[in-house]
Amino acid sequence: MAEFAGVSETTARRVLNGATDVAPATRDAVLTAMDVCGFERPRELRQERAALVGLVVPDLQNPIFPAFTEALAGLLNKRGLIPVLCTRTADGVSEAHYIDMILKQNVGGIIFVGASYADAGPEQGRALRERRIPVVLLNAADENLGVAQVSIDDAASAEQVLNHLAAMGHERIGMILGPVGHVPSARKLAGYERFHGRRGGGSPNDRRKLVAHGLFSMEGGATALPRLLAEGVTAVVCASDALALGAIRAARRQGLRVPEDLSVVGFDDSLYMVATDPPLTTARQPVQAMAAAAVASLAAQMKGHASAGELMMFDTELIVRSSTAPPARTGGG
């Protein structure tokens, strides 16, 4: 630990014994080294904020999560903060388990990415509130009142994509969203309803037939698409790039061409979407700007500034590539 902190063992002992004549920078280096190496701080030093920041991510399979993690980690490092990645694993290690671990290290704050404050678990969530750990939610999966949040304007993003497809002549446009109850998907659905409400086309019941829900994966997109094709859609808007790639795969299994027979739009503009076949039209999240807002909010909380209930919303940018085109026949089948 002393070697990690760049000090002698004698200096490290003096810090742990509460010596008051140690330089603040040296003292902080020793305490941070304790946190990183997994040692428990002396009781009298546990209330001080450490330089560790937990990054709670549901998984690393969805390309948008590694993108946010990389951006956040870089920004935290520039502020002298140390990111600690906490992601659900295939062998059953949960977010709650990671929260338990980092709480023992006297973490300075936590950023939940695409997850939920509730994912911390009831006991861990209570500990976060009692210890007043600074928290920021980035694209939270559910409603979380009284917590600082950074989010995409999902409803406006959905309308932007739908307007693009309508301008091409598409009338029956389907949507493949995340699981029922997933808040960003619900907001996209609200944008879908608002879009059709302005156009006055079809009944609400008819429109619901053009909406499918699934897991955020290629398999989820591939499973959802056949039902929408049976409803005569000529275009489909997907709530993630992975869903969109799955929809393209399912369309080809049915002998359809993209975009000649079916236009497909994704969401995120993940890495390599420009190199898919065809290159994917998608709504790009401003990852760097959102990460900067999340880190700034967390840093402000760590300095004692209240930001409970703060909500910062960002617009997406529609990136038009080759997966969208005018329908082969207007109105679908």
Side-chain angles (χ1 to χ4, degrees):
M1 180 192 71
E3 182 179 356
F4 186 94
V7 302
S8 66
E9 292 185 5
T10 301
T11 299
R13 285 196 208 93
R14 292 178 65 224
V15 171
L16 299 181
N17 290 330
T20 59
D21 58 345
V22 179
T26 301
R27 187 166 174 273
D28 290 342
V30 172
L31 294 177
T32 298
M34 288 193 69
D35 295 331
V36 173
C37 295
F39 294 108
E40 189 171 343
R41 291 186 178 202
R43 183 177 300 278
E44 61 273 14
L45 299 176
R46 291 178 192 171
Q47 295 306 312
E48 298 187 13
R49 293 295 182 203
L52 297 180
V53 173
L55 299 181
V56 181
V57 183
D59 64 74
L60 296 177
Q61 300 300 313
N62 186 334
I64 195 63
F65 294 144
F68 271 119
T69 300
E70 181 179 17
L72 289 164
L75 291 164
L76 289 168
N77 280 324
K78 288 181 180 179
R79 290 177 177 265
L81 303 171
I82 302 173
V84 178
L85 180 61
C86 309
T87 183
R88 189 183 300 131
T89 62
D91 59 0
V93 179
S94 66
E95 292 94 334
H97 175 78
Y98 282 115
I99 299 298
D100 277 336
M101 291 176 63
I102 60 179
L103 282 175
K104 292 177 182 177
Q105 306 307 318
N106 202 38
V107 65
I110 299 177
I111 300 177
F112 290 85
V113 183
S116 161
Y117 190 62
D119 288 336
E123 293 182 9
Q124 293 75 14
R126 184 165 51 252
L128 290 174
R129 287 188 293 271
E130 289 175 353
R131 290 174 56 175
R132 298 183 179 179
I133 302 294
V135 170
V136 177
L137 307 179
L138 201 161
N139 285 338
D142 60 11
E143 296 289 357
N144 297 270
L145 301 178
V147 184
Q149 298 191 53
V150 176
S151 175
I152 283 296
D153 190 339
D154 293 283
S157 177
E159 290 187 85
Q160 180 186 44
V161 172
L162 291 164
N163 284 327
H164 164 67
L165 293 170
M168 285 185 160
H170 292 278
E171 295 180 6
R172 290 187 71 77
I173 305 171
M175 288 197 88
I176 301 179
L177 302 172
V180 174
H182 180 251
V183 166
S185 292
R187 290 172 180 160
K188 289 182 178 70
L189 181 58
Y192 183 78
E193 291 293 340
R194 201 160 64 195
F195 167 81
H196 282 290
R198 286 200 308 270
R199 289 168 60 88
S203 68
N205 288 337
D206 181 55
R207 293 197 295 270
R208 290 297 299 172
K209 295 178 182 178
L210 306 184
V211 176
H213 293 268
L215 297 178
F216 282 105
S217 64
M218 290 182 64
E219 292 76 13
T223 301
L225 184 70
R227 181 175 69 78
L228 300 184
L229 292 176
E231 295 293 337
V233 301
T234 61
V236 62
V237 176
C238 302
S240 77
D241 291 337
L243 286 170
L245 294 179
I248 291 174
R249 176 184 291 181
R252 287 175 172 163
R253 286 175 181 166
Q254 296 202 19
L256 300 178
R257 299 165 300 165
V258 176
E260 293 86 351
D261 302 313
L262 179 72
S263 286
V264 179
V265 181
F267 191 91
D268 290 337
D269 193 28
S270 308
L271 189 64
Y272 305 130
M273 291 305 103
V274 69
T276 57
D277 180 24
L280 187 67
T281 295
T282 183
R284 175 183 291 169
Q285 294 200 57
V287 171
Q288 199 66 34
M290 295 175 70
V295 170
S297 176
L298 189 78
Q301 292 182 62
M302 292 175 71
K303 292 178 181 177
H305 301 295
S307 60
E310 177 183 49
L311 173 61
M312 291 166 279
M313 299 193 76
F314 289 77
D315 293 326
T316 57
E317 178 186 1
L318 179 62
I319 306 299
V320 179
R321 299 194 180 105
S322 303
S323 67
T324 53
R329 56 190 184 283
T330 58

